[in-house]
Amino acid sequence: MAQLTAFSYCSGDSAVHAMDVRVKMALLMLVSLTVLGAGPAALALMSVCLLFLICYLHLPLKSICSELRYFLVLLVLVFVARALTTPGDPLISTRWVSISREGVLAGAIVVWRMALVVLLGLAFTATTSPPRIKAAVQWMLKPIPLIPRARIATMMALLLRLIPLIFTQLSETMDAQRARGIENRKNPFYRMTKFSIPFLRRSFETADRLALAMDARCYSDQRTDPLLTASRRDIGVLSAAAAFFILIYLV
Amino acid sequence: MGVIELENLNYRFPGGPPVLRNVNLSISTGTLVVIAGENGSGKTTLLRHLNGLLLPDSGTVVIDGRPVVDDIRRARQLVGMMFQDADSQIVGETVGADVAFGPENLCLDPHDVSEKVAAALAAVGLTALADQRTNLLSGGEKRRLSIAGILAMEPKIVVFDEPFTSLDYPGTQQVLKEILKLKQSGRTVLVTTHDLEKIIYYADRLIIMHAGKIVRDGIPDDVVGEVETFGVRQPCASRMGLEVAPWHS
């Protein structure tokens, strides 16, 4: 069965798990914005904090790295691109390629920032169940008029629900075609057509059945709003974090 | 008067042949009714009329004293439906979120929703998996989750469309156990199947459908001898002239 293991919720009873999802989202935005403007010292401080958080949450670092291997490749590409294209004092210079000291530093900072934001996102999704994230988005859309927020929340839920199902169908369709020797056909257009038609038909049929099942359970846009409660501790954490990050930004 | 009353029900899909032909049926409260028939005999179409997913071309469907067309929302709350493919019935990202889907649609108070979710999960033994992602459940657990989703809406009638399809032995036993619990709780249970072996022992009534019509209707012992005429396999014990044994220990 196809599974998405990175960026998935790990149930637990830590203080971060118990924190109000809106506060966690606000913190995520605040830290991400701070990271974008932070220098090496601030990044180092935040990295230490983040490592402490990952250890506290008992997140499996090894499997996280394995899950994020394609993202690591992206980071390497970003670093190389920066190092090669930023002008400055040459660190290594050959006839074809010149790597500048400024380029290496700029590349390292960008990669560091991107890695921190992704790890923060991972800590957020690992400690927040999808229904809570959906509830927070629904709550945040409340002040915006003419937005069908219940429908948007349901669409988010269905998206999260359907992605693994679609991956399973994708892998089953590919296996079924391999079993019938599709690999012997070299024409990519032929292969794509033969693959996409049954796959899309199956996906649409699944969507139809899902819609029918939702109807059978009285689905409408008029639904119970999710219950969200922020404690004094949540507000305290948010205020302290805001003060801390404003200080980092100013320094 | 039964909790389900169908009168002269006719239905055809647009451009197709008639799927239901003049179906008349009355089912009383608390019974376990098995509807059997070969593929395309109209079993699923019949079930979908009970909660207004399909509306008849002619005839009436009355649930608990009130026509379905008068209040479809009420019919859908009263008639919980478990579909053939449990995977495409699961809407929530986690087990708890899926069970909450129905009560939230009924606009219940959030505290009531939580209570109903907890009770439904406890009833099917899935409390420990409340935060589990639904795509990680086994086939039997998915069926139990579908049942919990139905129970949370507190229906009077529960209908199962081919509930044993693609299930292994433990999964089948789990689902069978839940069906029997529903019957014991006083609910009316309808099960469609073409595999009588697993459920016939517990049925109060056996209905055979063929080409959109009810062709046999009675006590299982009276009807079971004729089922093979209509494309349904007779249970092994009954074929050998023995008494049908319970499938679930």
Side-chain angles (χ1 to χ4, degrees):
Chain A
M1 183 190 287
Q3 294 173 11
L4 292 180
T5 47
F7 292 95
S8 57
Y9 175 61
C10 310
S11 56
D13 52 3
S14 73
V16 187
H17 280 86
M19 199 184 278
D20 184 79
V21 58
R22 293 163 298 177
V23 171
K24 276 196 265 188
M25 273 183 133
L27 279 174
L28 184 67
M29 286 188 255
L30 195 66
V31 179
S32 303
L33 287 174
T34 312
V35 162
L36 290 180
L43 287 176
L45 181 64
M46 281 194 269
S47 303
V48 171
C49 294
L50 190 60
L51 268 177
F52 174 75
L53 181 68
I54 287 173
C55 293
Y56 167 69
L57 294 173
H58 301 294
L59 297 182
L61 255 181
K62 211 172 169 182
S63 86
I64 287 173
C65 291
S66 154
E67 291 284 339
L68 295 178
R69 59 190 180 277
Y70 298 115
F71 176 68
L72 295 177
V73 172
L74 176 75
L75 290 186
V76 170
L77 288 176
V78 169
F79 177 77
V80 171
R82 275 282 181 155
L84 289 176
T85 56
T86 310
D89 297 338
L91 198 66
I92 301 167
S93 186
T94 65
R95 194 173 163 190
W96 308 105
V97 176
S98 173
I99 298 173
S100 67
R101 186 183 300 276
E102 285 80 359
V104 170
L105 278 175
I109 294 282
V110 169
V111 164
W112 199 350
R113 285 174 178 159
M114 285 173 76
L116 275 180
V117 171
V118 167
L119 286 174
L120 270 170
L122 197 129
F124 173 74
T125 48
T127 56
T128 316
S129 71
R132 309 300 294 168
I133 299 175
K134 184 186 83 180
V137 171
Q138 198 173 339
W139 180 83
M140 283 172 179
L141 290 173
K142 215 170 188 172
I144 307 172
L146 304 173
I147 293 270
R149 54 196 186 87
R151 198 177 303 173
I152 290 173
T154 307
M155 281 162 68
M156 274 184 68
L158 289 179
L159 188 72
L160 290 168
R161 163 76 190 111
L162 282 175
I163 286 173
L165 209 61
I166 287 172
F167 269 101
T168 306
Q169 291 181 353
L170 188 83
S171 118
E172 279 176 4
T173 311
M174 282 166 77
D175 285 348
Q177 302 219 330
R178 270 197 220 109
R180 294 170 68 193
I182 190 81
E183 281 154 333
N184 297 332
R185 304 298 294 251
K186 300 299 174 204
N187 182 342
F189 181 73
Y190 176 87
R191 286 170 67 156
M192 200 175 72
T193 317
K194 293 293 171 197
F195 171 77
S196 48
I197 292 171
F199 173 67
L200 287 175
R201 192 187 59 227
R202 218 175 143 193
S203 299
F204 286 128
E205 280 170 3
T206 305
D208 272 348
R209 285 198 296 268
L210 198 67
L212 206 62
M214 287 168 71
D215 269 345
R217 286 163 82 185
C218 302
Y219 177 72
S220 79
D221 282 350
Q222 301 298 316
R223 314 182 68 231
T224 308
D225 274 344
L227 189 64
L228 293 168
T229 46
S231 65
R232 280 184 181 174
R233 195 185 61 175
D234 291 328
I235 306 294
V237 168
L238 186 62
S239 312
F244 177 67
F245 289 113
I246 288 169
L247 200 67
I248 284 186
Y249 202 77
L250 291 176
V251 172
Chain B
M1 192 181 184
V3 68
I4 299 172
E5 292 284 345
L6 308 181
E7 210 177 287
N8 298 323
L9 196 65
N10 285 285
Y11 182 79
R12 73 165 76 206
F13 288 105
V19 186
L20 296 178
R21 302 161 194 246
N22 225 23
V23 174
N24 290 286
L25 186 63
S26 174
I27 294 172
S28 48
T29 308
T31 48
L32 171 53
V33 180
V34 172
I35 304 174
E38 59 193 349
N39 288 344
S41 58
K43 306 184 295 289
T44 300
T45 309
L46 178 70
L47 291 191
R48 289 185 183 179
H49 278 82
L50 302 182
N51 61 357
L53 286 178
L54 293 174
L55 295 174
D57 294 337
S58 64
T60 53
V61 180
V62 177
I63 300 293
D64 203 23
R66 198 163 171 194
V68 168
V69 283
D70 287 359
D71 191 348
I72 289 179
R73 195 181 168 86
R74 171 186 175 272
R76 288 181 184 169
Q77 197 255 311
L78 286 178
V79 182
M81 178 171 280
M82 192 174 134
F83 290 76
Q84 205 165 339
D85 177 13
D87 232 332
S88 53
Q89 180 167 8
I90 297 169
V91 179
E93 325 84 280
T94 61
V95 168
D98 185 68
V99 179
F101 182 76
E104 282 174 357
N105 290 336
L106 298 176
C107 298
L108 301 179
D109 179 78
H111 294 289
D112 287 348
V113 173
S114 304
E115 278 174 22
K116 286 186 194 305
V117 169
L121 286 176
V124 298
L126 287 178
T127 306
L129 299 178
D131 283 331
Q132 175 79 281
R133 280 178 293 153
T134 47
N135 60 306
L136 301 180
L137 300 178
S138 69
E141 285 168 344
K142 280 179 183 167
R143 303 279 161 125
R144 277 155 64 203
L145 173 58
S146 302
I147 296 170
I150 292 166
L151 287 181
M153 295 177 77
E154 298 183 340
K156 280 190 171 181
I157 303 156
V158 184
V159 298
F160 290 84
D161 191 6
E162 302 282 0
F164 309 116
T165 309
S166 329
L167 282 184
D168 57 8
Y169 180 51
T172 305
Q173 280 200 316
Q174 286 172 11
V175 173
L176 197 50
K177 193 173 140 196
E178 298 306 331
I179 291 175
L180 298 179
K181 270 160 66 178
L182 287 171
K183 192 200 168 193
Q184 278 156 14
S185 68
R187 290 182 173 91
T188 307
V189 182
L190 268 70
V191 179
T192 71
T193 185
H194 39 226
D195 181 9
L196 290 174
E197 197 86 45
K198 293 154 188 164
I199 190 82
I200 191 77
Y201 177 84
Y202 311 97
D204 298 311
R205 185 171 163 189
L206 175 61
I207 293 170
I208 307 294
M209 286 192 74
H210 181 70
K213 287 182 179 173
I214 292 180
V215 288
R216 294 289 182 277
D217 181 358
I219 300 164
D221 285 344
D222 294 347
V223 178
V224 78
E226 294 179 81
V227 293
E228 295 204 349
T229 320
F230 304 106
V232 179
R233 191 177 188 278
Q234 193 176 349
C236 201
S238 151
R239 267 180 162 207
M240 296 164 74
L242 304 170
E243 201 177 324
V244 179
W247 212 77
H248 173 258
S249 51

